[in-house]
Structures are given as structure tokens and as C-alpha cells.
Amino acid sequence: MPTALADFLLLQRDAIMEAWEAEVRAMPGARALSRPALRDGLPRLLEVVATLMRERPQGGEASGLDSIPDLHALERLGEGFDLRQVVTEYRLLRGCVLRMWMRRAEVAPTSEAERVFHEAMDEAVAASISRSSQAQAQARERQARAEAEASLARLRESEAGLRRWEEVFTRLGVGVVVVSAEDNILRDVNPAFARMHGYSPEELKGRPLEDTLAPEARGALPRHVAAAHSKLSHEYESLHVRKDGSRFPAYSHVTAFRDGTGRVVQRVATVLDITQRRAVEVDRQRLLAAIEAERARLASVLEQMPAGVFIAEAPGGRLVMTNRQVEALTGQPFHPPSPAEDITRGYPEVLHPDGRPYAPEERPLMRSVLQGEVVRGEELLLPREDGQRLTVLVSSAPIRDRDGAIVAAVATMVDVTERRRAQEAALQAALFGERLIAIVSHDLRNPLNAIQLSATQLLHSEALAERERRLVTRLARSADRMRRMISELLDFTRGRLGGGIPIQRAVGDVRAVVRQGVEELEAAFPERSLRIQVGPGRYEGQWDADRLLQVVSNLGGNALQYGPPELPVTFLLADAGDAVVLEVHNGGEPIAPEMLPRLFDPFRRGTSAGHAGGTGAGLGLGLYIVEQVVKGHGGRIEVQSEAEAGTTFRVTLPRAQPG
């Protein structure tokens, strides 16, 4: 009969499993027992029980206990099941098998078959429990071994980490101190902290923390301790004292350490000597104050300057500052552009003198920023919103650092609109006057020639009475003076309008020209003394004799007019190799220093002392014509005038026409 039940287990294994699963699902807690890992081992268990029932002798002991699969128990333990779950599983399976066996009509239930089945199931349960216990023991042993090894590894790592921290603590250049939270006693200090205070670490350990603070700083210690205990960390600066009594400022960063109850048991602080940092900060503040003062002075100077001032930074040329004169010139307020805006924003529109607009990189300030160019007095046109167009002069220069790199540039803008208008008006007036002089002088020559010719004929007439002769003689002299004045005016207009006084060169001896000029002056000034001194050498060359005669006559007449009557006028000729030098000297009062720079300007006449631009009651063109004639010969004229030495005009004339 047990064999029939064994066959039933094998043949109806699937049906038994379905019935078991149905019962399991109907029981409380079935979700936990219906996992796949728990269900998959039961078919194999039914096979083992059936085998035990067939092999078990009548009334004998089980011989197949070793065949109970280990996988069944190990899988359950590995999936997190305990022995209670295994027993519950077997109990459910046992009840399911017996109910299905007893419902079979063709099989009558026997106590023998059931007894064998129960013994086989009991043996299977016992085997599972035994193997599960062994597996749990082995698992616990392996877990204990792994935990021991991990603990040993952690211990070794902790010891290595402790050694590393001890090395850091010892070698760290920043002071580190461990303070007891209960009594503020120094538990440990590193060498850096000890050196900072002039002690050895052993001298400081066990002493109160306040011993390291200056007496005047100890009153704040309770407040800092309370702050350190109330938050994760606390930072503060205080005054510390060294063993020798000297003070130094220190910066402390404090961290509080707590036990399991949250009570602070100790504090660890890093301490840094900030003496150097304080000195640097003082210097920085002093420099900032000096820079701010200089900036204020610069701003004041810029605001008071009559010229517009622009300052742009490198490398792009963005405008950073202008003064109020810029606003007055442009008619627009200045707003510095932001870094995101176009760097050309803020620059006023400017034009070339011919009306062409400036490209951004062509502006003088941009050229100084980008190329380092120094611009002096560049003329521009500045259109304004009110329709005016100003003429301005712009100068700019780069600003460099110590290494020569361009860091900024500055430009000045001066309004010369009125000056240019005045210059244009003066130029037009001068040109008109010179043209008028040329026309009038030319038109006066013909009537003057008629007067001179008539006077000459009358003087040669024997029928002229003495009284009338004196009148005609005076008329002739006045006409001759007018002729000279007209000649000077024509020379002036040629020099100003015609490109210079014309020079007609011919081979000649300059000594003859000087002697002729002196003779004419002696005839005009018979009461004066004139001397000629000629040095050794050659005096031939290519000259315009008539024009050189004007030079001798004008310089000599000037010297005779302004020199004292009792002193002679001296003409000195010297050979200078490729040139001949003529000096005309007279004594007397020197030329006023303020007159020297304008001595050769046209229409300059003397007032009292010194010399001026003409002889006698002339037009003030004599020295101007002298300079033009000398320049026409490629030479130069110089003057020296002192109280003791007198006045000397020195003329240097090349022998030949310059190439």
C-alpha cells in the first residue's frame, strides 16, 4: 500500500502542486509563501518522499535521507527564508497530499500507507532542518570571518590614517591647537603654534588657552568660545602674546567636536600669524587712499581744463572718462558704455577737414590705443546736433605701464573755430592789401616818372630863378624818395605774392658793390663817418649786383639812422671759402630783445632806441627786403646787439647759385 501512495505522488505531482498553490493563496500570509524560489523546490521534494516510501522496508528505518536535496534548503535560506517557513511549507504540502489521497474512490485509506508517508515527510523535514542549520552555521562562520577581516582592515587603515594625520599635525606650517571644552586647557599643540608663541609644544600643553592671548584680548575669549559652541565653526581675529611679551595679530578658525549626546567635548583651532597681512592691508589702505586722492585731484584738474579730455582703456579703446568741456564741445552728455555695448559708443562723430568721415580706427585716440601713435594737433571737424560744425585740434598719446605695454590713452580736443575764422579773415585782408599795394604802386610809377622828368628838365634850365630852383630841387628829392618807396612796395608784393624777389645773377666782385653803396651813403650823409675793411681773399662770385646794392644801402642807412652821429659805421668783408661774409656794425643802444624775433617782419619801424625794419621815414620794409634778397641768393642774415659791443648785421652769401 505505501507503494501505491508513492506512485500517486509521482503521477499526480503536477495536480498536487496546483492544489497546494490554491490552498496557499487562500491562507493568510500566502503572498510571502508563494514566491517562485519557495515553490520551485517542492516537486523535487515529492520525488524524494516517493523514493523513500518505496525503499523503506516494512517497519524499517529510512535509508535515503542523504538524498534530500541540499539545494532546496540552501535556496530557501539564500532567498531570506527561515526554518519556520520551511516547516510551514512542508505542513501545507502534507495536508494537501493526504486530502487528495483520501478523496480517491478507488483507494481505501490505510493506516500503514499514511504512517509510511508521515515518516518519510518527517525524515525530509528533519533532513532540511539539519542541513539548513548547518548552512546557517557555515554562513554565520563566513560572515564572522568576513567581519573580522574587514574590522582588521579598518583598524590597519585607521592606524595608517592616524599616522598620516600625526605627520600633517607635526609638519603643518599653520598653528593647530586642541583645547578642552570643559576648562579651556591646551590638550595638544603642533610645533608651528608653539614656534608662533616662542615656546616648545611641551611648554604649552596643559596651560590655559588665555595664556597665549594678550591681556587686553582675553576679555573677548568667552564670547568667541560661546560662538564656537553654538555653530559648526567660528572665525575671529585676536591679539596673541609671545613668550618674550611681544604681541602679534592672529586669525583663528575654530571647530567644536561633540560626543554622542551632542555635548561639546573639545575644540580644534587653526591659528595663522597675520602680522604681514595686517601690514599689507595697511599699505593697501594707504595706497587706496592715495589713489583716491590722486583720482580726485585728476578729476578736479580735468574739470577745470579749458580743453576737452577723453580717456580710453586698452586694448579695445572703450571710453571710460571725459570732462565737462567735452559735453560743452559736442553738445551731448557722456555716458560710459557697458562692456556689452559697442566700444565706439560715446565717441563723437568727427570729419576730416575736407568733410570725409573718420573710420573708428582712424580717430587719433584709437590710433594711440591700438598702435601707440602720438598725435599732435590734428585738425578735425566736429558736427553738433544744433547744426554747427566746429573746427577742433586733437592731440593724443598712449599711456604705458612699467613694461611698456599700452594700458590706456588720453586725447585733448581744443576748439579753434574762432581762431581759424580770424586767421582766414586776416589772410584775406592781407592778400587784399598786398594786391592793392601792388596795383597802386604799379600805377603810381608813370605819373611819378613824369614828375621826375619835369623836375630834371627844370633844374637844367638857366632861366629858373633861385627861389624856384630851390622849390624844384625839393620836389625832385621828394619824387626820388617816393620812387624808392614805390620800389620797396613792389619788391614786397613780389616777395609775398610772386614767390620771392627775383634774382638775376651775373659774375662780379662784391667789393665793387659794397664800395658803390658806401659812396652813395657818403653823398647822402656827408657829415657821417663810414669805413670799409676788406680782409684778404677772393670776392668774385655770381651775384645780382643791383639787389646786393639794396642790401648795402638798407643796412648802411639803418646803421646811420640808429647809430650815434659821433661813432662810425663799419663795413667788413671777409672770405669764407665758398661764401663771402658782409658785416655792418654801428655803436649805440642795442635793439630791444622783444624786437629781435620780429626784426625782419614787413612794416616794422623803430620807435626810439634800437633798429627797425627800414631807413629814415620809410615804410618799414628795408630789413624785410634785405632778408628776401639774401635768401634769394641762398644765404642767411643774422644780428647780434649788445650794449657794449653795439649792433652787427652779418650776411653770408654763397659764391654760386645753390644746386
Side-chain angles (χ1 to χ4, degrees):
M1 197 62 179
T3 304
L5 181 56
D7 294 339
F8 173 77
L9 293 177
L10 294 176
L11 294 174
Q12 299 298 321
R13 181 177 58 183
D14 294 339
I16 293 171
M17 290 303 302
E18 290 178 2
W20 176 81
E21 290 180 357
E23 290 188 11
V24 168
R25 284 193 295 270
M27 291 180 62
R31 181 175 299 178
L33 297 176
S34 59
R35 297 178 183 176
L38 184 64
R39 184 178 61 250
D40 293 345
L42 294 180
R44 175 58 180 158
L45 178 62
L46 292 175
E47 294 179 5
V48 172
V49 171
T51 301
L52 289 175
M53 293 177 67
R54 283 196 180 101
E55 296 177 354
R56 182 182 182 90
Q58 185 72 25
E61 296 292 334
S63 61
L65 292 178
D66 293 337
S67 63
I68 300 297
D70 293 339
L71 180 60
H72 181 62
L74 293 178
E75 281 180 345
R76 297 171 193 276
L77 292 176
E79 289 292 333
F81 297 104
D82 55 17
L83 291 178
R84 183 183 299 274
Q85 291 175 321
V86 175
V87 171
T88 301
E89 173 189 332
Y90 288 166
R91 179 176 58 79
L92 291 174
L93 182 62
R94 187 196 305 260
C96 185
V97 169
L98 291 177
R99 282 191 296 273
M100 290 181 65
W101 170 256
M102 293 174 66
R103 283 199 295 266
R104 289 174 58 88
E106 67 276 8
V107 178
T110 63
S111 59
E112 178 64 22
E114 292 179 4
R115 182 184 64 79
V116 173
F117 171 72
H118 285 302
E119 289 179 354
M121 285 295 295
D122 291 342
E123 291 174 0
V125 170
S128 294
I129 291 174
S130 175
R131 290 191 174 92
S132 295
S133 299
Q134 294 176 1
Q136 287 181 344
Q138 293 173 357
R140 286 194 296 271
E141 182 180 356
R142 287 193 298 270
Q143 183 177 0
R145 187 182 302 112
E147 290 177 354
E149 292 176 354
S151 177
L152 181 60
R154 286 194 299 270
L155 179 60
R156 291 171 179 170
E157 183 178 355
S158 176
E159 291 177 351
L162 183 59
R163 286 194 298 272
R164 286 195 298 270
W165 278 113
E166 288 178 352
E167 185 175 359
V168 170
F169 182 79
T170 302
R171 297 188 179 184
L172 193 64
V174 177
V176 181
V177 58
V178 181
V179 183
S180 171
E182 182 178 357
D183 50 14
N184 285 333
I185 297 298
L186 300 176
R187 294 290 181 82
D188 200 0
V189 299
N190 72 338
F193 183 86
R195 286 193 304 270
M196 193 183 302
H197 293 81
Y199 293 93
S200 66
E202 290 71 20
E203 290 178 298
L204 286 178
K205 292 178 183 179
R207 298 184 62 170
L209 173 63
E210 65 178 14
D211 287 356
T212 63
L213 300 177
E216 58 268 31
R218 293 170 184 172
L221 182 60
R223 176 167 54 86
H224 293 304
V225 170
H229 287 191
S230 64
K231 52 186 179 179
L232 294 178
S233 62
H234 177 59
E235 300 173 353
Y236 65 96
E237 293 183 5
S238 58
L239 192 64
H240 284 229
V241 61
R242 297 186 180 92
K243 186 176 183 180
D244 60 7
S246 59
R247 268 80 163 160
F248 67 95
Y251 170 82
S252 300
H253 182 282
V254 185
T255 301
F257 287 83
R258 305 174 186 272
D259 60 12
T261 65
R263 184 175 64 89
V264 178
V265 294
Q266 66 180 12
R267 299 187 306 274
V268 177
T270 57
V271 182
L272 179 65
D273 185 349
I274 58 173
T275 302
Q276 186 64 29
R277 191 173 77 181
R278 282 278 183 89
V280 171
E281 179 64 20
V282 170
D283 289 343
R284 189 179 73 87
Q285 293 296 334
R286 179 178 56 81
L287 289 175
L288 287 177
I291 290 172
E292 189 60 31
E294 289 296 330
R295 182 179 298 170
R297 283 194 289 269
L298 175 61
S300 177
V301 170
L302 291 179
E303 290 302 313
Q304 298 302 321
M305 287 186 66
V309 179
F310 300 81
I311 298 178
E313 65 180 5
R318 187 173 67 92
L319 278 179
V320 295
M321 182 184 296
T322 65
N323 66 347
R324 61 183 176 184
Q325 187 63 22
V326 170
E327 182 176 343
L329 288 172
T330 62
Q332 297 177 347
F334 171 72
H335 301 289
S338 66
E341 291 179 313
D342 183 5
I343 61 173
T344 61
R345 182 181 178 275
Y347 281 87
E349 179 187 2
V350 289
L351 308 174
H352 289 276
D354 59 5
R356 292 181 297 108
Y358 269 82
E361 66 277 3
E362 289 182 328
R363 296 187 178 104
L365 185 58
M366 289 294 288
R367 284 162 26 211
S368 296
V369 170
L370 300 178
Q371 305 167 18
E373 180 181 350
V374 177
V375 181
R376 293 185 175 88
E378 185 168 323
E379 185 172 317
L380 301 85
L381 298 180
L382 178 65
R384 290 169 50 98
E385 288 189 350
D386 57 10
Q388 297 186 60
R389 181 173 287 188
L390 304 182
T391 301
V392 295
L393 292 181
V394 176
S395 300
S396 64
I399 301 173
R400 302 178 183 271
D401 60 14
R402 293 181 179 178
D403 299 327
I406 298 175
V407 295
V410 61
T412 60
M413 178 182 288
V414 180
D415 183 6
V416 295
T417 305
E418 294 302 324
R419 188 192 311 173
R420 285 289 183 266
R421 289 173 182 169
Q423 289 175 348
E424 289 292 332
L427 179 60
Q428 293 299 325
L431 291 175
F432 175 77
E434 291 168 1
R435 291 191 180 97
L436 180 61
I437 291 171
I439 294 171
V440 172
S441 300
H442 184 272
D443 291 345
L444 285 176
R445 295 182 69 180
N446 290 334
L448 185 60
N449 288 335
I451 293 172
Q452 284 185 307
L453 182 59
S454 299
T456 301
Q457 290 178 348
L458 288 173
L459 288 174
H460 286 83
S461 174
E462 295 179 356
L464 193 65
E466 183 62 28
R467 182 173 177 275
E468 286 78 6
R469 185 177 295 278
R470 287 197 300 270
L471 292 174
V472 173
T473 301
R474 188 182 305 164
L475 179 64
R477 289 178 179 173
S478 297
D480 184 63
R481 186 165 63 253
M482 290 180 64
R483 180 189 60 78
R484 290 197 302 271
M485 293 171 63
I486 291 173
S487 177
E488 288 181 350
L489 286 172
L490 290 174
D491 284 340
F492 167 72
T493 55
R494 291 191 190 101
R496 298 295 290 262
L497 301 178
I501 295 177
I503 302 297
Q504 304 295 328
R505 291 178 177 270
V507 177
D509 192 324
V510 76
R511 289 173 295 188
V513 176
V514 173
R515 289 192 182 99
Q516 180 182 350
V518 171
E519 289 173 357
E520 291 180 358
L521 290 171
E522 287 175 338
F525 298 89
E527 73 282 1
R528 299 294 301 273
S529 173
L530 288 84
R531 299 176 182 175
I532 300 178
Q533 298 179 5
V534 180
R538 296 186 312 107
Y539 294 92
E540 296 82 6
Q542 295 182 0
W543 334 98
D544 187 328
D546 292 336
R547 293 297 184 185
L548 289 186
L549 189 59
Q550 282 183 282
V551 172
V552 175
S553 178
N554 284 346
L555 290 179
N558 205 61
L560 289 169
Q561 179 181 357
Y562 293 102
E566 67 275 9
L567 296 179
V569 174
T570 304
F571 295 81
L572 175 63
L573 276 174
D575 182 356
D578 293 336
V580 173
V581 176
L582 168 65
E583 293 184 355
V584 180
H585 174 267
N586 67 274
E589 295 185 21
I591 302 172
E594 64 271 14
M595 290 291 296
L596 288 175
R598 304 186 301 273
L599 194 62
F600 296 98
D601 291 350
F603 304 108
R604 292 285 179 181
R605 299 185 61 186
T607 54
S608 57
H611 293 238
T615 61
L619 298 173
L621 293 172
L623 291 181
Y624 170 78
I625 293 174
V626 167
E627 184 185 43
Q628 296 302 310
V629 171
V630 172
K631 288 182 176 180
H633 282 82
R636 65 181 184 275
I637 183 169
E638 303 165 295
V639 61
Q640 293 180 345
S641 186
E642 300 175 356
E644 293 81 6
T647 300
T648 300
F649 284 85
R650 179 184 176 90
V651 176
T652 302
L653 296 170
R655 295 181 185 273
Q657 183 175 2

